[in-house]
Amino acid sequence: MVLIVISAKKYVAIDCEMVGVGINGAESSLARMSVVNYYGVVELDEFVHQKEHVVDFRTKWSGVRARDMVKGAFFIRLISLANLTEFCNHS
């Protein structure tokens, strides 16, 4: 989980789940993004539409299943919903 300072008075935590795409699912692709505010209120919790074929849903770790991805938001829409212009990545 990553803590990002949006302004001096507003903090959010972002958690992302990834799925495997490409040969043997070796590449990671954003599958779900969750954002909570300082008080723990969920601001955003969306699955992401995949451009590539998902080889490994990594369900054991991510909890993501094929049926979750059916109505996923497009990434550009997700950025708009989150109202964020910068993202931090974590491993």
Side-chain angles (χ1 to χ4, degrees):
M1 192 167 306
V2 177
L3 185 66
I4 298 176
V5 179
I6 302 301
S7 70
K9 296 181 181 179
K10 185 172 181 183
Y11 297 88
V12 296
I14 298 175
D15 185 42
C16 298
E17 300 301 335
M18 310 299 275
V19 292
V21 298
I23 298 172
N24 297 322
E27 294 182 44
S28 293
S29 179
L30 179 64
R32 183 179 189 177
M33 181 176 174
S34 303
V35 179
V36 296
N37 67 20
Y38 179 82
Y39 302 102
V41 175
V42 177
E43 299 285 338
L44 177 76
D45 188 17
E46 293 282 335
F47 288 98
V48 180
H49 176 79
Q50 299 298 301
K51 291 182 179 180
E52 297 183 55
H53 174 70
V54 177
V55 177
D56 183 1
F57 285 93
R58 303 175 182 168
T59 305
K60 181 178 178 181
W61 299 277
S62 70
V64 176
R65 301 161 300 189
R67 65 180 177 231
D68 296 326
M69 307 296 291
V70 173
K71 294 185 179 181
F74 287 90
F75 187 69
I76 297 300
R77 173 78 176 131
L78 190 65
I79 292 171
S80 174
L81 288 171
N83 196 24
L84 301 171
T85 55
E86 295 183 28
F87 288 90
C88 291
N89 188 5
H90 70 87
S91 303

